[in-house]
């Protein structure tokens, strides 16, 4: 670290913490060797006649001591050897990522290398993308290995689509600077040791792993403080090293990180999640986050001015095939962030992809059908009935006559898929979905996609947000008149047949 980068306060502190961890490792090795050393002394004393010579009065006692110590030594050495082998085999958990070969992103690799050269640090060995708003260096050295290996630079994919090239370069500067520490022998060895202990504890849980977990837990407890201070010192050193690279842009880039996280979270929870529940995966999540963040910038006065950045070159232009990489990270996002049930058997992987243009009819309409299914069954209509207006009229009558009885029927009809909510809440969801279906079937509205809120109802191309109050009055108080007035405003009469589409 000192030879390639020049020593400094942060570097000295990091090396000192790494040395403390390695001393702890050495102390553990020495402790394991103590019984063997004592046994060797006792055996040597027997042959030299200095400890329990043959025929002496205390020969028997020394022989018993020798046998006992040798037994302890053998057990200790066996335990230590097995622990060392387990530690060597242990593999720290890695966050799944999409590896970018240099042929997939030659400009990106060139940017990273130029950045490393400018800071006079070694460049990362590879680049990968993760569907999250974070960036870090992934250690590539095995826990039992001795030679440091260049780390992999893992970059949050939303950053590439939202940030401009200059912003991304400034954001990655302190991360890339940290690559120098990964190649420092002492820091690398200390990291491999603590990461290996973590992995060993994770792999040997339960009674069968007590033999390995006891020393691993003891060592990790005593090295955790040093490891935390080591990483803090490395981060401080890398940040100081990166000050020479576009420091003003780094401030702007950090502002974009917060905005990107907010838009990405909304896109996943409000837009992607309904599709994942139906077994479909939007294939352009990263492109979608640009639309979501642009919409957020338009709505939020605190974000004014961010939209003007979109005229600059986006960082995704550093990729040769942004669409293919976007699709790969989108499928990975579904695997990482959604493990719940789906409303229907999940299709094959090649059939799961979903274009944004198909989202309204493939997801929004299906979601409304699923949400209204229990209510339709409770009022005696088939879940796939096209005559949503007829079912809506029946539902309104049932709410007016006995809302509690209808809520109980809906509760009985619901399957294991919906969240644990009351029957009356399910009636509210089902009624609103049924109204939306009726509006679409009548030709007065269309299903739509809002980048921040997900499925919406569009009337004359504009989102209607005033449906919640009349639906709540109908469900909670049996007052159907506000909802009927809302429908009549659109030219829909529930008691008359619908024009099917």
């Amino acid at each position: 670290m000192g030879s390639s980068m020049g020593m400094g306060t942060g570097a000295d502190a990091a090396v000192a913490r790494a040395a403390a961890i390695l001393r702890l490792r050495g102390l553990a090795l020495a402790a394991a060797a103590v019984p063997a050393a004592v046994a060797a002394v006792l055996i040597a004393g027997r042959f030299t006649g200095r400890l329990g010579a043959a025929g002496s009065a205390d020969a028997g006692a020394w022989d018993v001591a020798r046998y006992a110590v040798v037994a302890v030594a053998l057990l200790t050495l066996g335990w230590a050897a097995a622990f060392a082998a387990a530690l060597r085999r242990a593999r720290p958990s890695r966050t799944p990522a999409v590896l970018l070969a240099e042929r997939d992103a030659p400009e990106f690799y060139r940017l990273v290398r130029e950045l490393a050269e400018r800071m006079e640090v070694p460049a990362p060995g590879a680049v990968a993308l993760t569907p999250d708003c974070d960036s870090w260096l992934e250690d590539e050295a095995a826990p039992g290995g001795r030679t440091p290996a260049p780390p992999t630079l893992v970059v949050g994919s939303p950053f590439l689509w939202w940030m401009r090239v200059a912003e991304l370069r400034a954001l990655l500067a302190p991360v890339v600077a940290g690559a120098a520490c990964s190649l420092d022998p002492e820091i690398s060895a200390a990291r491999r040791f603590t990461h290996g202990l973590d992995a060993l504890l994770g792999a040997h849980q339960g009674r069968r792993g007590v033999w390995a977990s006891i020393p691993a837990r003891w060592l990790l407890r005593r090295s955790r403080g040093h490891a935390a201070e080591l990483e803090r010192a490395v981060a401080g050193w890398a940040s100081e090293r990166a000050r020479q690279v576009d420091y003003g842009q780094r401030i702007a880039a950090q502002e974009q990180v917060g905005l990107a996280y907010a838009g990405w979270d909304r896109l996943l929870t409000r837009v992607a999640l309904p599709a994942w529940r139906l077994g479909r995966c939007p294939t352009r999540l990263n492109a979608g986050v640009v639309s979501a963040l642009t919409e957020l910038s338009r709505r939020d006065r605190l974000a004014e001015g961010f939209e003007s950045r979109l005229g600059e070159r986006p960082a995704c232009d550093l990729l040769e095939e942004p669409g293919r990489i976007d699709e790969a990270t989108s499928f990975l996002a579904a695997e990482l962030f959604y493990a719940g049930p789906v409303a229907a058997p999940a299709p094959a992987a090649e059939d799961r992809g979903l274009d944004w243009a198909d989202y309204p009819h493939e997801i929004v309409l299906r979601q409304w059908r699923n949400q209204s299914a229990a209510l339709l069954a409770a009022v005696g209509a088939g879940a796939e009935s096209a005559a949503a207006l007829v079912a809506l009229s029946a539902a309104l009558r049932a709410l007016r006559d006995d809302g509690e009885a209808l809520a109980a029927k809906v509760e009985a009809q619901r399957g294991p898929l919906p969240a644990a909510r009351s029957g009356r809440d399910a009636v509210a969801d089902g009624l609103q979905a049924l109204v939306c279906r009726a509006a679409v079937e009548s030709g007065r509205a269309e299903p739509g996609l809002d980048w921040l809120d997900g499925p919406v109802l569009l009337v004359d191309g504009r989102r209607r947000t005033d449906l919640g109050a009349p639906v709540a009055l109908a469900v909670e108080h049996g007052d159907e008149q506000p909802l009927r007035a809302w429908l009549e405003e659109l030219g829909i009469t529930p008691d008359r047949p619908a024009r099917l589409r």
Side-chain angles (χ1 to χ4, degrees):
M1 195 164 166
S3 60
S4 63
M5 307 179 310
M7 295 300 289
T9 303
D12 292 341
V15 171
R17 293 293 180 173
I21 293 173
L22 297 180
R23 283 197 300 271
L24 185 65
R25 183 184 66 177
L27 179 63
L29 290 174
V34 166
V38 174
V41 170
L42 292 177
I43 293 173
R46 173 68 176 83
F47 286 115
T48 60
R50 293 180 178 275
L51 296 174
S56 64
D58 58 354
W62 280 109
D63 286 341
V64 171
R66 263 189 291 271
Y67 289 136
V69 172
V70 167
V72 171
L74 290 175
L75 286 174
T76 303
L77 289 177
W79 191 6
F83 177 76
L87 185 62
R88 180 177 290 272
R89 291 193 303 269
R91 291 295 180 269
S93 60
R94 296 172 61 96
T95 301
V98 176
L99 186 65
L100 281 180
E102 187 163 0
R103 64 177 179 274
D104 296 327
E107 284 194 82
F108 197 178
Y109 272 79
R110 187 157 53 249
L111 179 148
V112 171
R113 286 174 182 146
E114 290 174 353
L115 193 57
E117 183 178 357
R118 186 173 172 182
M119 294 184 293
E120 299 180 347
V121 298
V127 177
L129 297 184
T130 181
D132 205 350
C133 292
D134 197 5
S135 298
W136 67 89
L137 291 172
E138 191 79 58
D139 191 5
E140 296 297 339
R146 295 180 177 275
T147 305
T152 294
L153 173 63
V154 183
V155 183
S157 62
F159 295 157
L160 265 75
W161 268 260
W162 176 244
M163 288 187 169
R164 309 300 98 180
V165 172
E167 293 171 346
L168 183 67
R169 180 171 53 242
L171 180 72
L172 294 181
V175 184
V176 173
C181 304
S182 298
L183 295 178
D184 180 82
E186 288 186 278
I187 292 178
S188 178
R191 281 174 167 172
R192 289 197 304 271
F193 180 61
T194 55
H195 293 170
L197 292 174
D198 263 326
L200 189 60
L201 279 177
H204 291 80
Q205 296 294 337
R207 293 181 180 178
R208 294 178 59 186
V210 170
W211 68 271
S213 64
I214 290 177
R217 201 180 308 278
W218 186 88
L219 288 168
L220 193 60
R221 186 182 302 118
R222 282 154 181 77
S223 62
R224 183 173 284 126
H226 293 299
E229 290 299 325
L230 184 154
E231 298 303 336
R232 189 174 293 113
V234 167
W237 180 90
S239 180
E240 185 64 28
R241 193 76 175 184
R243 286 179 66 89
Q244 59 184 293
V245 180
D246 302 329
Y247 186 70
Q249 280 282 1
R250 283 178 60 193
I251 298 174
Q254 288 297 332
E255 294 176 350
Q256 298 306 318
V257 169
L259 188 65
Y261 183 85
W264 180 247
D265 183 66
R266 286 286 288 266
L267 184 77
L268 293 186
T269 56
R270 304 290 182 87
V271 179
L273 187 58
W276 293 340
R277 284 174 175 162
L278 294 173
R280 304 297 298 276
C281 178
T283 57
R284 297 293 185 269
L285 282 179
N286 293 287
V289 81
V290 176
S291 299
L293 290 169
T294 303
E295 179 64 16
L296 182 63
S297 299
R298 185 184 66 81
R299 295 183 192 179
D300 188 353
R301 289 184 299 175
L302 296 176
E304 287 179 358
F306 288 152
E307 193 172 353
S308 63
R309 304 164 43 261
L310 300 183
E312 303 171 20
R313 189 188 185 199
C316 63
D317 277 3
L318 299 172
L319 307 177
E320 289 292 290
E321 299 179 74
R324 181 176 62 82
I325 301 301
D326 196 353
E327 182 173 341
T329 55
S330 297
F331 277 105
L332 182 58
E335 295 175 11
L336 290 177
F337 301 133
Y338 184 69
V342 294
E350 61 272 15
D351 298 326
R352 291 173 58 208
L354 177 71
D355 290 331
W356 289 124
D358 299 327
Y359 189 97
H361 287 276
E362 291 288 332
I363 302 302
V364 179
L365 280 179
R366 285 181 61 190
Q367 177 173 281
W368 288 341
R369 291 192 192 102
N370 290 343
Q371 289 176 335
S372 60
L375 180 61
L376 288 170
V379 299
E384 295 299 323
S385 171
L389 277 176
V390 176
L392 177 58
S393 181
L396 291 176
R397 287 195 301 270
L399 281 168
R400 182 184 61 218
D401 296 340
D402 193 346
E404 290 297 333
L406 180 61
K409 289 181 181 180
V410 170
E411 181 71 27
Q413 290 290 340
R414 291 196 305 168
L417 204 76
R421 303 178 66 192
S422 70
R424 189 166 286 276
D425 287 336
V427 172
D429 291 341
L431 182 61
Q432 183 154 323
L434 189 56
V435 170
C436 292
R437 286 183 56 188
V440 171
E441 288 179 10
S442 69
R444 306 292 185 180
E446 294 181 344
L449 166 62
D450 182 275
W451 291 110
L452 295 175
D453 295 325
V456 294
L457 183 70
L458 301 179
V459 178
D460 296 328
R462 300 183 63 181
R463 176 184 176 186
R464 291 298 295 258
T465 59
D466 55 348
L467 180 57
V471 166
L473 287 172
V475 174
E476 298 296 333
H477 304 289
D479 183 3
E480 64 187 74
Q481 291 309 312
L483 181 55
R484 287 186 179 273
W486 188 94
L487 291 166
E488 289 174 2
E489 180 190 341
L490 267 63
I492 302 172
T493 305
D495 297 316
R496 282 190 277 186
R499 175 171 63 83
L500 303 183
R501 296 181 57 177

